Amino acid sequence: MPVGKNAYKDNIKMQLFRQLKAENAFWSYSDNAITEESIEDNQLIALVMRHLDLDQIKQLFLIYPYNKIKKAWQTLLVPEGEYLYTLNRFFAWYYFKAKNPDAYLKSLQTRYLNSLT
């Protein structure tokens, strides 16, 4: 069994994973297809930000570096554009301290679209 910081981190990840399962975040998979060990950190971060509440999002900042959370948000949630616009606008302002969330999101989305061409 892991000790110290690893046990703390693993415990939080397990709790978040269970809460995601309870929220039916993995609805398109068979019940045993996704496990705590099989989900990548970036996916876990994005799913928590998308499906869970502020208390659970706060836990992400206890176990992951700020830059890792920001990168996961930028690469997995921001590209969804209008679909998650209000949520992303809140994240940009509240967690990532954007002074002008609308302009910040627009620049991130433009950068993403330019990377596709």
Side-chain angles (χ1 to χ4, degrees):
M1 179 146 198
V3 284
K5 284 187 177 183
N6 285 338
Y8 177 73
K9 181 178 177 178
D10 290 343
N11 186 37
I12 290 177
K13 283 175 69 173
M14 182 175 58
Q15 289 174 8
L16 293 172
F17 181 80
R18 287 182 181 159
Q19 290 172 336
L20 286 168
K21 281 195 98 150
E23 288 293 320
N24 210 19
F26 306 107
W27 61 270
S28 63
Y29 296 92
S30 65
D31 199 33
N32 296 327
I34 304 290
T35 64
E36 300 157 29
E37 296 81 23
S38 68
I39 191 166
E40 295 181 17
D41 289 346
N42 287 344
Q43 280 298 113
L44 180 69
I45 292 166
L47 287 168
V48 167
M49 292 180 86
R50 177 190 294 246
H51 294 286
L52 299 181
D53 292 326
L54 295 177
D55 289 336
Q56 289 81 23
I57 295 171
K58 186 193 285 185
Q59 289 182 321
L60 290 174
F61 288 92
L62 298 175
I63 61 173
Y64 294 113
Y66 173 86
N67 288 337
K68 184 175 186 101
I69 296 169
K70 187 173 183 179
K71 178 114 173 115
W73 170 69
Q74 287 176 335
T75 57
L76 297 173
L77 296 178
V78 170
E80 295 199 33
E82 290 296 318
Y83 181 68
L84 293 179
Y85 183 76
T86 304
L87 186 64
N88 282 327
R89 189 172 185 271
F90 171 74
F91 290 151
W93 169 75
Y94 188 77
Y95 291 111
F96 306 116
K97 308 300 182 217
K99 294 190 187 314
N100 186 344
D102 294 318
Y104 182 63
L105 282 175
K106 178 79 170 156
S107 71
L108 290 174
Q109 290 167 348
T110 300
R111 190 177 315 153
Y112 170 75
L113 291 173
N114 288 340
S115 75
L116 295 176
T117 58

